[in-house]
């Protein structure tokens, strides 16, 4: 199947309020253009250098999602154009994003990454630490960073009930955070969870943004 067909097949199954982020990391610009020409606008990358190169070469109407672990010293390269940063996990990083947003005279939308899996490889904040962050003076001083929701990655396991429980936990925390910290901010509305292998489970648990790579572009090959 072609990239266009893959995207249509996934979109057919999605409720209207769910955003599909096509994860194009490691994939060539020609593939992104195929999806773009079929009307797709949201793409996800996890390396700053790769993202900035693609941004420079491709149509400026694309919404670029940064989905990887972001180092503070690299924020400046994506700050002028990034649509959404998915994996923010510290106040330090938010403060750098604030500074770069100000330089670019824009607001930058971010999701807090919550650790929902016990796996060592997964980044993210424990829920309690995320709550402390949101209650801190440092956070209340930020003017150009907009927290628009939460993001999480489930364990890489076969067992669907483990994955579903992790997603359900994140959905519950999302609702609690919305009620506690964002009750007067409708902008807090995005729950980014679900990848190729587990997005159907994520949707059942209330995800409204899924990040799909291999099911659209094929398996990735790393050199
Ligand atoms: C690579 C990646 C994805 C997409 O993974 P697939 O299994 O190819 O769909 C989603 N989210 C993050 C954070 C990723 O790094």
């Amino acid at each position: 199947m072609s990239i266009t067909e893959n995207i249509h097949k996934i979109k057919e199954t999605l409720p209207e309020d769910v955003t599909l982020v096509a994860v194009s990391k490691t994939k060539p610009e020609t593939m992104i253009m195929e999806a773009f020409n079929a009307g797709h606008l949201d793409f996800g990358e996890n390396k700053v250098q790769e993202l900035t190169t693609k941004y420079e070469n491709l149509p400026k109407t694309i919404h670029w999602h940064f989905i990887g672990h972001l180092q503070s010293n690299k924020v400046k390269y994506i700050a002028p154009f990034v649509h959404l940063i998915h994996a923010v996990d510290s106040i330090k990083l938010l403060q750098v994003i604030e500074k770069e947003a100000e330089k670019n005279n824009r607001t930058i939308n971010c999701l807090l990454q919550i650790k929902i899996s016990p796996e060592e490889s997964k980044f993210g904040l424990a829920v309690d630490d995320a709550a402390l962050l949101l209650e801190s003076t440092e956070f209340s001083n930020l003017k150009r960073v907009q927290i628009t929701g939460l993001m999480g990655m489930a364990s890489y396991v076969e067992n669907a009930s483990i994955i579903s429980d992790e997603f359900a936990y994140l959905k519950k925390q999302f609702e609690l955070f919305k009620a506690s910290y964002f009750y007067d901010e409708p902008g807090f509305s995005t729950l980014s969870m679900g990848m190729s292998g587990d997005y159907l489970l994520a949707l059942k648990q209330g995800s409204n943004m899924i990040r799909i790579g291999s099911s659209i572009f094929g398996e990735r090959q790393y050199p």
Side-chain angles (χ1 to χ4, degrees):
M1 285 223 292
S2 71
I3 290 168
T4 307
E5 285 168 328
N6 290 339
I7 287 181
H8 281 307
K9 209 183 67 176
I10 295 168
K11 277 192 177 162
E12 259 170 29
T13 69
L14 296 182
E16 267 204 25
D17 63 331
V18 176
T19 301
L20 169 62
V21 178
V23 176
S24 48
K25 63 192 189 192
T26 80
K27 298 296 180 182
E29 292 168 2
T30 49
M31 285 189 169
I32 298 173
M33 280 312 293
E34 184 181 336
F36 177 82
N37 288 330
H40 195 74
L41 286 182
D42 291 90
F43 295 90
E45 293 283 339
N46 71 343
K47 296 274 189 296
V48 167
Q49 175 67 60
E50 185 176 347
L51 171 54
T52 50
T53 303
K54 286 173 172 171
Y55 167 74
E56 279 161 23
N57 293 338
L58 294 170
K60 296 295 176 280
T61 46
I62 288 177
H63 302 159
W64 290 106
H65 296 247
F66 191 79
I67 62 170
H69 188 66
L70 181 57
Q71 289 171 279
S72 299
N73 60 347
K74 295 194 173 160
V75 173
K76 57 176 177 283
Y77 300 113
I78 64 170
F81 66 87
V82 71
H83 180 72
L84 179 63
I85 300 176
H86 282 235
V88 174
D89 61 1
S90 74
I91 187 69
K92 282 238 163 65
L93 182 56
L94 282 173
Q95 286 169 327
V96 175
I97 295 170
E98 165 88 7
K99 212 176 69 191
E100 296 301 328
E102 202 174 330
K103 279 188 202 161
N104 288 281
N105 195 25
R106 65 188 295 248
T107 298
I108 297 182
N109 293 334
C110 298
L111 306 178
L112 289 182
Q113 182 174 3
I114 304 294
K115 190 169 161 66
I116 58 172
S117 160
E119 288 174 3
E120 287 291 326
S121 59
K122 304 281 193 286
F123 290 101
L125 286 161
V127 163
D128 291 353
D129 293 330
L132 285 176
L133 185 158
L134 294 171
E135 288 166 15
S136 68
T137 335
E138 288 92 336
F139 178 74
S140 63
N141 286 335
L142 303 179
K143 308 224 154 29
R144 291 179 173 271
V145 165
Q146 188 73 37
I147 302 293
T148 57
L150 303 180
M151 176 269 204
M153 293 174 81
S155 294
Y156 192 67
V157 293
E158 294 287 327
N159 188 328
S161 74
I162 293 179
I163 298 171
S164 286
D165 286 353
E166 291 173 354
F167 286 148
Y169 172 78
L170 186 56
K171 167 70 171 170
K172 190 175 131 210
Q173 299 308 327
F174 174 77
E175 296 300 338
L176 286 172
F177 277 21
K178 192 158 76 171
S180 305
Y181 304 113
F182 298 96
Y183 46 87
D184 57 355
E185 292 179 43
F188 186 87
S189 59
T190 300
L191 182 53
S192 168
M193 59 183 197
M195 316 180 13
S196 292
D198 58 19
Y199 78 90
L200 291 173
L201 298 173
L203 290 172
K204 274 200 197 126
Q205 299 303 331
S207 168
N208 61 16
M209 185 172 279
I210 56 175
R211 310 175 309 270
I212 309 284
S214 41
S215 291
I216 294 174
F217 298 109
E219 293 300 320
R220 283 176 296 278
Q221 267 144 26
Y222 291 97

